[in-house]
Amino acid sequence: MQAQPEKKRHRFKMPSAFTILFIIIIIIAILSWFIPAGKYSTDSSGNLIANTYHTVKSNPQGLWDVVMSPVYGMVGDKNTDGAISVSLFILVIGGFLGVVNKTKALDAGISSIVNRYKGRKKVLIPILMTLFALGGSTYGMAEETVAFYPLLIPVMMACGFDSIVAVALALVGTSVGNMASTVNPFATGVASQTLGISPGDGLVSRIIFFVIVDVIAIAFVMRYATKIQKDPTKSYVYAQREEDWKSFNIDERTNDVEPMTGRQKDVIWLFMAAFVIMIIGLVPWSSLNKHFTFFDTATTWLENIPVLGTLLGHDIAPLGTWYFSEITMLFLVMSVVVMWVYHMKEDVFIDAFMGGMADFVSVAMIVAVARGLQVVMNNGLITATILHAGETGLTHVSQSLFIILTFLFYVPMSFLIPSTSGLAAATIGIMGPLGHFAHVSGSLVITAYQAAEGWVGLVTPTSGVVMAALAISHVNLTTWWKWSLRLMLYLFIATVVFLAILAAI
């Protein structure tokens, strides 16, 4: 009897964020045929006025509206602002990162720190985790960490730790950084632009949250590292330690660290300066203190200097009033400055910049597709109806309870749409106004969204970064879940308490 060929098992594969968003757009278009249409009255600033909802004639969305929604999501239409400004910024910052990565300055910087503190072992943990957290908080560092694992694993194992500690430095570091994104353009930037507020709104509270979650994560990892340093058998991957030692060439690779060049150090300084300037430019200084007018006065003074003022140009936006156009210009200029300081050839610079932009095209486009969801809802006249349902339900809900529910809402949504910018563009337009009805600021809603997205991003199998890190380090996903369970619980409790306190203040 001839043996039957074994049937191949088709494993379920999570669809891409693009597919998920298109499915949601289609569902929303169908719902526009059944959900009553309605509108709210608005004030002079365009903000919705509570208790002014009224029904209007329905405008169900059809196939043409669905396929046109991503286009209008990018360029805008009569009912919805387009995402072109934030998409362009994403492309330009991608080009900037491409140029910086071409210099290998970030890789060399991490290598230099590892080499300098190799003899002091545990000191490396808070230093490196904070650096990775800053990367996650400022520019959404995630995929870039994959290049560091082959370097971190040998060093951490040579220090008496294990591969889990190495993974935690970068993966946990960037995840808590993303939880407390301060000026992350792909999270804070997209969400703020959706609500029409400055990315600098709520910055102080996000910095405080950053310190809290970073300290919790560092303490957790250091406690584990100390425990297995004293007793290696306590390691979650102790059974494969000898195999890993040979596989990662520990003895050879821990001594193979190239020092930073002078030009790479200059690039590191420029890299940090770019984000510092961006932060200063975005913080609404006059809103924080109406008497602080230094940047406005300085800008006016420069413009009025004969000849120099003409050379500089007119209508210069003072620091503290910047938005996406200005920070896009900043990273474009800083890319050129990096090229000049590093003595990079013009053709190499163009290739690096365009290559960096190419890496972020999908991110820029997903913002437009996600904004298309809002286009269909607005044009179908069901946005106000959904908000009205939320307004009615939130009548007796406290501010603290609302923000906690918002955080819990974003936990499954972060799993469903594993795209920071896509999730923001698709949902913040609804959650922000709901927060307004509950007397919760839009910036706090953004903080709740970011906290959930970063928290889920630490363990979700839908994240390519998580799966790549575990594959490189030979750590099983279930092993990672067991190790990170208590850390996830600590971060969850800290987040809920922090959000509740902020909402109540």
Side-chain angles (χ1 to χ4, degrees):
M1 185 174 179
Q2 191 173 9
Q4 295 293 322
E6 185 179 351
K7 292 183 179 180
K8 292 184 179 180
R9 293 183 178 181
H10 296 282
R11 293 183 178 180
F12 172 76
K13 185 178 179 181
M14 192 72 177
S16 69
F18 284 101
T19 301
I20 292 173
L21 288 171
F22 267 114
I23 290 173
I24 295 175
I25 288 174
I26 293 171
I27 292 173
I28 293 297
I30 294 173
L31 289 176
S32 70
W33 289 72
F34 304 100
I35 295 177
K39 283 187 176 182
Y40 274 96
S41 300
T42 58
D43 57 24
S44 57
S45 300
N47 297 317
L48 302 181
I49 301 174
N51 301 316
T52 61
Y53 172 81
H54 55 280
T55 57
V56 295
K57 183 180 178 181
S58 65
N59 185 37
Q61 300 292 282
L63 181 60
W64 177 263
D65 305 297
V66 169
V67 296
M68 283 297 294
S69 63
V71 179
Y72 289 135
M74 178 66 82
V75 301
D77 68 357
K78 61 182 180 180
N79 294 318
T80 309
D81 293 331
I84 185 67
S85 60
V86 66
S87 293
L88 178 61
F89 171 64
I90 289 171
L91 291 175
V92 170
I93 199 173
F96 170 75
L97 293 174
V99 173
V100 171
N101 288 334
K102 187 68 176 179
T103 68
K104 302 293 183 182
L106 294 178
D107 292 16
I110 295 293
S111 301
S112 177
I113 292 173
V114 168
N115 191 42
R116 180 180 301 176
Y117 292 96
K118 190 188 300 183
R120 284 177 271 179
K121 299 179 179 180
K122 280 188 287 188
V123 178
L124 279 170
I125 294 175
I127 291 175
L128 291 177
M129 285 191 70
T130 299
L131 287 175
F132 282 117
L134 287 170
S137 182
T138 53
Y139 73 96
M141 187 179 193
E143 289 84 357
E144 299 87 345
T145 60
V146 174
F148 294 116
Y149 294 115
L151 168 66
L152 294 173
I153 294 170
V155 172
M156 289 298 103
M157 292 189 68
C159 288
F161 308 135
D162 63 9
S163 54
I164 287 182
V165 174
V167 173
L169 293 180
L171 185 54
V172 175
T174 53
S175 293
V176 296
N178 282 312
M179 283 184 69
S181 292
T182 48
V183 290
N184 179 354
F186 311 112
T188 315
V190 175
S192 298
Q193 197 260 2
T194 301
L195 291 182
I197 63 177
S198 168
D201 289 350
L203 179 61
V204 175
S205 62
R206 289 197 293 268
I207 291 175
I208 296 172
F209 186 49
F210 174 88
V211 174
I212 293 172
V213 293
D214 192 39
V215 168
I216 290 173
I218 289 172
F220 184 87
V221 175
M222 288 193 71
R223 184 175 181 274
Y224 174 75
T226 301
K227 182 171 67 175
I228 64 172
Q229 193 177 37
K230 293 178 179 178
D231 183 2
T233 62
K234 300 292 185 181
S235 169
Y236 279 72
V237 289
Y238 177 73
Q240 63 191 58
R241 182 173 180 81
E242 290 187 12
E243 182 181 345
D244 285 346
W245 193 277
K246 295 177 182 177
S247 176
F248 291 114
N249 275 332
I250 308 297
D251 295 319
E252 296 179 15
R253 300 181 70 177
T254 50
N255 296 320
D256 185 22
V257 180
E258 297 182 4
M260 289 185 71
T261 66
R263 292 179 185 175
Q264 287 176 327
K265 291 179 181 178
D266 293 337
V267 171
I268 290 291
W269 282 111
L270 290 171
F271 179 82
M272 293 189 294
F275 284 95
V276 169
I277 295 172
M278 180 179 76
I279 293 171
I280 295 174
L282 290 173
V283 173
W285 300 104
S286 59
S287 298
L288 298 176
N289 186 341
K290 63 181 180 180
H291 300 295
F292 187 85
T293 59
F294 173 78
F295 293 123
D296 300 83
T297 304
T299 302
T300 303
W301 176 73
L302 283 172
E303 288 182 326
N304 290 330
I305 296 177
V307 182
L308 178 61
T310 304
L311 287 173
L312 289 175
H314 303 287
D315 300 322
I316 299 174
L319 292 171
T321 64
W322 283 17
Y323 202 48
F324 281 98
S325 296
E326 289 78 16
I327 57 178
T328 300
M329 171 275 299
L330 170 66
F331 284 99
L332 184 61
V333 170
M334 292 303 288
S335 299
V336 177
V337 174
V338 169
M339 175 194 73
W340 179 73
V341 169
Y342 194 73
H343 296 178
M344 189 182 294
K345 292 182 178 179
E346 187 265 350
D347 58 334
V348 175
F349 166 77
I350 294 298
D351 287 343
F353 190 85
M354 298 304 293
M357 290 182 71
D359 291 337
F360 284 86
V361 166
S362 62
V363 180
M365 290 304 298
I366 208 168
V367 172
V369 175
R371 187 63 60 85
L373 189 155
Q374 193 172 348
V375 169
V376 172
M377 290 182 64
N378 290 347
N379 291 344
L381 302 177
I382 63 174
T383 302
T385 304
I386 295 173
L387 290 176
H388 177 62
E391 179 187 12
T392 304
L394 292 170
T395 303
H396 303 292
V397 174
S398 68
Q399 294 157 299
S400 296
L401 179 57
F402 172 84
I403 201 63
I404 292 173
L405 291 174
T406 300
F407 172 70
L408 294 176
F409 162 78
Y410 273 112
V411 169
M413 288 301 295
S414 297
F415 177 84
L416 182 65
I417 306 178
S419 165
T420 303
S421 51
L423 180 59
T427 60
I428 289 293
I430 292 294
M431 297 307 297
L434 283 179
H436 173 72
F437 291 139
H439 306 291
V440 173
S441 67
S443 63
L444 188 54
V445 171
I446 292 173
T447 299
Y449 136 72
Q450 293 176 156
E453 192 274 333
W455 187 77
V456 171
L458 180 58
V459 294
T460 177
T462 61
S463 168
V465 178
V466 172
M467 300 311 293
L470 298 182
I472 293 172
S473 58
H474 305 165
V475 176
N476 186 275
L477 179 61
T478 55
T479 301
W480 178 251
W481 283 346
K482 291 177 183 177
W483 177 85
S484 60
L485 178 61
R486 282 189 297 165
L487 173 60
M488 295 288 287
L489 179 61
Y490 298 151
L491 292 174
F492 181 89
I493 294 172
T495 301
V496 168
V497 172
F498 182 79
L499 290 173
I501 292 174
L502 273 185
I505 295 177

